[in-house]
Amino acid sequence: QVQLVESGGGSVQPGGSLRLSCAASGSPTGVYVMGWYRQPPGKPRELVATVSQRGHKNYADSVNGRFTISRDNTKNTVELQMNSLKPDDTAVYYCNLLPLGTGMNYWGNGTLVTVSS
């Protein structure tokens, strides 16, 4: 059973930076995409960024140019470097691992990011 554990959330002022980390345990196998989603207060969960095992990255328009996703296949970790944070980035951020072709989809418990002056 794959488990995802996030870390690195917190409070920051507008314009600041935070780095989120996620570690996958349970030895995921096969081909899988890792990524980050977020759920702002009162809104549905939305894509932030994903990265494939080959390193192909996909970003939401709202974070493109400010956030950078990275992945270490040897450690089964994914990180999200968030720069130039805005109040609209306030949300619970969830780590995701999607094994392709299996019908499975794994989520972490989430970590809160608050951007406020």
Side-chain angles (χ1 to χ4, degrees), residues 5-12 17-22 36 80 82 85 89-94 110-115:
V5 178
E6 303 109 334
S7 60
S11 296
V12 65
S17 298
L18 282 175
R19 189 174 185 88
L20 305 182
S21 297
C22 173
W36 291 92
L80 186 70
M82 304 185 294
L85 283 160
D89 295 318
T90 295
V92 177
Y93 284 71
Y94 295 91
T111 184
L112 178 62
V113 171
T114 302
V115 184

Side-chain angles (χ1 to χ4, degrees), residues 77-91:
T77 58
V78 63
E79 296 189 330
L80 186 70
Q81 177 65 41
M82 304 185 294
N83 298 328
S84 302
L85 283 160
K86 306 175 181 179
D88 284 349
D89 295 318
T90 295

Side-chain angles (χ1 to χ4, degrees), residues 7-67:
S7 60
S11 296
V12 65
Q13 293 186 340
S17 298
L18 282 175
R19 189 174 185 88
L20 305 182
S21 297
C22 173
S25 62
S27 301
T29 59
V31 179
Y32 53 94
V33 177
M34 297 189 76
W36 291 92
Y37 290 71
R38 68 186 182 187
Q39 186 165 14
K43 296 183 180 180
R45 193 173 298 187
E46 62 186 22
L47 168 74
V48 177
T50 61
V51 56
S52 71
Q53 280 179 298
R54 294 188 176 184
H56 177 75
K57 302 176 182 180
N58 179 49
Y59 294 95
D61 289 343
S62 58
V63 308
N64 199 17
R66 300 188 296 122
F67 292 10

